[in-house]
Amino acid sequence: MDQYTLFVLLSPFAIFLSLFISVYCWQRRNVRAARSLAIVMGAVTCYVIFNTLELVDPTPRGTEFFGCLGYPFIGILSIGWFYFALEYTDHIKFLPKRQSWLLWVIPTLATLLVFTNSMHHLIWRSISFDLVSHGFLHLKVNSYGPFFWVFWIQAYILILSGATLILWANFSPNRQYQKQTRITLAGAVLPILVNAVYVLRLIPGLDKDFSPIGYAFSGIFLAVGIFKFRLFDLAPLARATLIDQMSDGMLTLDADRDVVDFNRAARRILSNEYSLKVGEVCPLFTTFLDQVDAAPENTVLDSEISLRCQGKTEIYDVSIRPLRGTAKSTLGYLISFHNITELKNLLQITRQLAGQDPLTGILNRRYINTLAGEAFNLADQNHSRCCVVMMDIDFFKEINDTKGHSAGDQVLQAFVHSLRRMLRSTDLLARIGGDEFVLLLPETTLQTARSLTERLCKAIASEPLVTADYGSVNITISMGIAERVGDEPPSLDELINRADQNLYQAKKMGRNCVWYTEPEPI
């Protein structure tokens, strides 16, 4: 089979292929770079059609006319390819809009010059018409004029620049992107190689320019990228190397929730529990995605998940952002997850410190108020009672004055340690200042509180406290009890005031004792 017959046989398939890709991309023109590729493949379709008509037209005049018609579409596809590469790699912002019209100057002049070539021969210096097999008439360019090379060089610069941009943007260690890089670049380089073979006469005897077929078949590679690798579903291959170096996990899903892209951190974080594969669903995020879809438009979901990573449980802050087109349809989802384990631990420590007395390690005044509210609510639900006990160490000031504040601190620590061993697990002990302590006894009647506090008093008085630096110290304590009853219960502060009055009365009675009064009915 000769080269001309082969071209005619291949051209219908090339026309159909390039037209199909052009229509497919145009239908998705709201997605970045799809519009440019649609224009490129549309120009390729026309280029192949006119090249075919150039060959099958039986007259020299018709053959030359259709040969000239191919030039404007060469300009369109070369500039369109450059725009496609800029948009595809997110570099379109670097092309000044006011100067972008300069790209069209040479193709426009080339189109005008090729149709008036007989007057100046700036495009073709010498052409001839050869009658070849099956009656096809071949337009043979024996030598090119100077402006042809200007036009040809610009087209090659634009296409090679676009291919270089794609190569640079696709530099990624991810295996699936290495495949996509090779496929995309094959689509960019194939027509250049085919045209270079023809123009530079690299194959002896090859007189027919197969560049239009080369451009059409390059669409096959781009189509594979579109259908298999979802080239335009969400994001082009412009992935900065920084994304793969991030410690935060980054994951992109398409509208069907299939994985489109992920960085190395995402693979590492999820590897213990989930296998990330392009084109497959990651079930971890299904519930979150349902919430995103049910939420108002453009709502960003923030949540937390716990994952096993490198043998330990880590907590991650998850952010899911829906990606929408201009028609407000969901194109996919961008998921990021940031390790907040250390922050959580720090917050927990901070909360503990905020609710903890730094000297003794028990609750402070602020936190006992919070817990008291919960205890009171529980008492209301169970129709039970609560008691509050105020206590302090008898003659504690003398310890500070005679032995120093360091000794006083150690006595307080030893006292709390001894006291906690005698309390129930449900009892809440807090230091509210100096040697003053409050004891909250949930679901406890006045009689039970009296029995507990009298036992505490006797135990503290009978057993010396052992300090680290000051030996054994004998102390006694005084206590006052207030009971919470009634349908309109008092606040914790009111109970503390009542218990404090009873504590004052215990001191008046000689200390080392417990005082209480029956609550007045409400």
Side-chain angles (χ1 to χ4, degrees):
M1 182 183 300
D2 62 88
Q3 55 188 295
Y4 307 104
T5 304
L6 177 62
F7 185 94
V8 173
L9 291 177
L10 290 176
S11 62
F13 177 71
I15 292 169
F16 170 79
L17 178 65
S18 55
L19 181 61
F20 172 79
I21 297 173
S22 177
V23 172
Y24 176 85
C25 294
W26 186 256
Q27 290 174 342
R28 291 153 181 79
R29 60 187 177 276
N30 291 328
V31 180
R32 180 169 53 180
R35 183 190 297 266
S36 295
L37 188 61
I39 294 173
V40 169
M41 299 312 296
V44 169
T45 303
C46 296
Y47 187 25
V48 177
I49 290 173
F50 292 131
N51 251 261
T52 306
L53 292 176
E54 171 194 332
L55 191 60
V56 300
D57 192 287
T59 65
R61 184 175 181 179
T63 297
E64 183 176 355
F65 174 73
F66 288 120
C68 293
L69 280 179
Y71 272 70
F73 295 102
I74 295 174
I76 292 172
L77 71 87
S78 62
I79 296 175
W81 172 260
F82 184 61
Y83 268 88
F84 160 71
L86 288 174
E87 293 175 350
Y88 180 59
T89 58
D90 199 25
H91 286 86
I92 190 66
K93 55 182 173 290
F94 297 115
L95 180 65
K97 291 185 178 180
R98 293 184 178 181
Q99 284 76 36
S100 60
W101 64 270
L102 294 173
L103 295 174
W104 295 95
V105 172
I106 292 177
T108 301
L109 289 176
T111 300
L112 295 174
L113 292 175
V114 76
F115 279 101
T116 59
N117 186 73
S118 60
M119 302 170 56
H120 44 68
H121 301 289
L122 291 175
I123 301 295
W124 301 325
R125 281 188 173 176
S126 173
I127 61 173
S128 59
F129 300 93
D130 298 336
L131 187 62
V132 294
S133 59
H134 303 287
F136 299 139
L137 193 62
H138 171 52
L139 171 62
K140 182 179 181 180
V141 180
N142 299 314
S143 63
Y144 293 97
F147 201 81
F148 168 84
W149 296 108
V150 175
F151 175 64
W152 186 79
I153 289 172
Q154 177 185 307
Y156 269 58
I157 289 175
L158 291 175
I159 295 174
L160 285 173
S161 297
T164 303
L165 285 172
I166 293 172
L167 175 62
W168 183 261
N170 279 278
F171 185 74
S172 169
N174 277 0
R175 188 174 181 180
Q176 71 271 18
Y177 279 95
Q178 292 174 355
K179 293 180 180 178
Q180 193 168 352
T181 300
R182 291 194 292 266
I183 289 175
T184 309
L185 288 176
V189 173
L190 176 62
I192 299 176
L193 295 178
V194 173
N195 187 254
V197 167
Y198 170 73
V199 172
L200 301 177
R201 302 290 194 263
L202 299 180
I203 299 179
L206 181 64
D207 295 323
K208 178 57 187 169
D209 183 7
F210 276 76
S211 298
I213 303 294
Y215 280 109
F217 274 81
S218 70
I220 294 177
F221 296 98
L222 296 176
V224 170
I226 292 170
F227 293 113
K228 184 175 181 180
F229 293 101
R230 304 177 184 271
L231 184 61
F232 295 126
D233 278 359
L234 290 176
L237 293 178
R239 305 171 70 253
T241 306
L242 175 63
I243 293 178
D244 260 340
Q245 295 176 344
M246 290 173 59
S247 59
D248 290 354
M250 301 290 292
L251 191 68
T252 309
L253 310 181
D254 63 13
D256 297 324
R257 301 183 177 181
D258 293 336
V259 175
V260 175
D261 185 21
F262 55 87
N263 64 357
R264 284 180 290 183
R267 186 198 298 272
R268 173 181 52 79
I269 293 167
L270 301 178
S271 60
N272 283 358
E273 299 186 40
Y274 299 94
S275 176
L276 285 180
K277 292 183 179 179
V278 172
E280 295 185 4
V281 173
C282 181
L284 172 64
F285 303 103
T286 300
T287 302
F288 299 129
L289 294 172
D290 290 340
Q291 296 175 20
V292 171
D293 291 340
E297 183 182 347
N298 295 328
T299 297
V300 178
L301 176 70
D302 291 303
S303 188
E304 292 181 8
I305 56 173
S306 296
L307 295 170
R308 292 289 296 174
C309 184
Q310 297 179 350
K312 58 183 179 179
T313 300
E314 303 280 358
I315 303 173
Y316 289 87
D317 176 50
V318 178
S319 176
I320 301 180
R321 180 183 299 274
L323 304 176
R324 306 189 188 277
T326 55
K328 298 182 179 180
S329 59
T330 301
L331 299 175
Y333 310 87
L334 177 63
I335 302 175
S336 61
F337 32 104
H338 173 66
N339 193 325
I340 58 171
T341 306
E342 292 186 4
L343 177 60
K344 280 286 187 180
N345 293 337
L346 179 60
L347 288 175
Q348 184 176 0
I349 294 173
T350 302
R351 291 192 184 102
Q352 290 176 348
L353 293 176
Q356 192 177 73
D357 174 56
L359 177 63
T360 61
I362 59 175
L363 303 176
N364 60 18
R365 177 68 178 263
R366 178 187 301 175
Y367 202 48
I368 194 68
N369 269 311
T370 302
L371 297 179
E374 298 176 2
F376 292 168
N377 289 334
L378 182 62
D380 292 340
Q381 294 173 12
N382 297 335
H383 305 288
S384 60
R385 300 186 178 188
C386 292
C387 287
V388 171
V389 179
M390 279 294 295
M391 70 180 82
D392 65 11
I393 299 175
D394 297 330
F395 305 110
F396 180 73
K397 185 176 183 298
E398 293 182 6
I399 298 175
N400 281 334
D401 291 343
T402 58
K403 297 184 178 183
H405 287 281
S406 176
D409 289 346
Q410 291 190 22
V411 167
L412 290 174
Q413 291 170 339
F415 166 66
V416 168
H417 177 72
S418 179
L419 197 62
R420 290 176 72 176
R421 289 189 290 111
M422 294 181 280
L423 294 175
R424 302 169 299 181
S425 60
T426 55
D427 298 336
L428 301 174
L429 178 64
R431 181 185 178 212
I432 60 175
D435 65 323
E436 292 183 318
F437 296 85
V438 60
L439 179 61
L440 176 63
L441 305 175
E443 300 189 31
T444 302
T445 63
L446 181 60
Q447 290 73 22
T448 303
R450 174 188 173 185
S451 175
L452 173 65
T453 52
E454 288 178 347
R455 179 168 55 87
L456 293 177
C457 252
K458 291 179 181 179
I460 294 297
S462 63
E463 184 178 348
L465 299 178
V466 179
T467 62
D469 301 319
Y470 300 93
S472 298
V473 179
N474 292 303
I475 67 166
T476 60
I477 58 175
S478 300
M479 294 184 177
I481 307 174
E483 184 182 27
R484 177 182 181 271
V485 294
D487 296 330
E488 296 180 1
S491 66
L492 178 64
D493 287 339
E494 291 172 325
L495 287 172
I496 288 177
N497 288 335
R498 191 189 304 167
D500 197 44
Q501 292 174 6
N502 289 333
L503 171 62
Y504 177 75
Q505 190 65 30
K507 289 181 178 295
K508 285 181 65 176
M509 297 301 296
R511 293 181 170 84
N512 190 26
C513 64
V514 178
W515 190 265
Y516 63 93
T517 55
E518 295 288 344
E520 297 180 2
I522 297 177

